[in-house]
Amino acid sequence: MIFTCEEHIDAAIDEYVDETERAPDLAPVDNDENRCWFCGKKAIYVVGS
């Protein structure tokens, strides 16, 4: 799973597809503890299955 901010959602989807060769599920993050995998800002989505 990749946590991501609004700005990096496209990059997170691309990264997931490159690694797994499957379409990811997208879900909102329900807490303030997770940070974007790319920039460290507060994550608002989790990309994964």
Side-chain angles (χ1 to χ4, degrees):
M1 292 194 301
I2 301 171
F3 292 96
T4 182
C5 64
E6 183 77 36
E7 180 181 344
H8 293 110
I9 188 70
D10 292 334
I13 292 170
D14 290 344
E15 183 75 23
Y16 185 87
V17 170
D18 287 346
E19 289 181 11
T20 66
E21 298 181 358
R22 297 185 319 164
D25 292 329
L26 300 175
V29 172
D30 59 355
N31 64 47
D32 292 337
E33 296 176 13
N34 299 102
R35 297 289 170 194
C36 179
W37 193 73
F38 298 93
C39 69
K41 292 180 183 175
K42 179 183 169 197
I44 58 171
Y45 296 111
V46 62
V47 177
S49 57

